[in-house]
Amino acid sequence: MARLKAATLVESIMAMVIISIVFAAGLMVVNMVINSNRSAFRYRVNLALQQMASETKLQNRYIDEQIDSADYRVMKEILPYQDRKDIYILSLRAYDLDNEEVMQHRELVFLP
């Protein structure tokens, strides 16, 4: 009679732990690859909002407007700050094509 070696319970559990760790690591890599495109988009939008804020202050163009781009839309608003008549809030909000807010930029602006 030939003897067959059977796997013990401990060996089976260790194999399942190793498989689970490898699976979790693979999911993290897939998640990073999927979100890398979104990060680049958010970075581009952030740079565009900063540039729009600088241009608004440089050109003294303090009016509410909508600025459309190929893959996002920016809503610019000038809001009063508390009870002050010389300080305003410059609010820039960027929305993607699905109309979800991607990023916002807010800063105080002094207008004499």
Side-chain angles (χ1 to χ4, degrees):
M1 275 184 134
R3 295 186 111 199
L4 295 175
K5 289 187 174 181
T8 64
L9 182 62
V10 173
E11 290 171 338
S12 297
I13 291 174
M14 291 302 292
M16 290 177 65
V17 166
I18 291 171
I19 290 171
S20 298
I21 291 172
V22 169
F23 183 71
L27 280 178
M28 288 190 314
V29 168
V30 167
N31 189 25
M32 287 190 315
V33 168
I34 289 172
N35 287 333
S36 67
N37 188 27
R38 186 76 172 162
S39 296
F41 175 69
R42 288 178 56 83
Y43 182 73
R44 261 187 319 120
V45 169
N46 186 24
L47 287 176
L49 291 181
Q50 290 177 1
Q51 181 180 6
M52 287 177 196
S54 295
E55 288 176 359
T56 297
K57 292 184 287 187
L58 185 66
Q59 298 172 356
N60 288 329
R61 189 174 171 87
Y62 297 106
I63 58 172
D64 295 348
E65 59 186 334
Q66 176 178 330
I67 302 149
D68 292 320
S69 178
D71 50 355
Y72 60 90
R73 174 177 47 93
V74 177
M75 299 296 293
K76 180 172 81 170
E77 293 179 306
I78 307 300
L79 307 168
Y81 179 72
Q82 296 177 353
D83 293 333
R84 302 284 306 258
K85 301 222 188 255
D86 55 349
I87 298 179
Y88 291 88
I89 299 171
L90 171 61
S91 174
L92 298 168
R93 293 178 186 261
Y95 297 92
D96 62 6
L97 297 177
D98 297 328
N99 218 16
E100 293 180 20
E101 185 174 319
V102 177
M103 186 168 291
Q104 76 176 18
H105 177 89
R106 292 172 60 108
E107 66 180 80
L108 293 177
V109 178
F110 177 72
L111 298 174

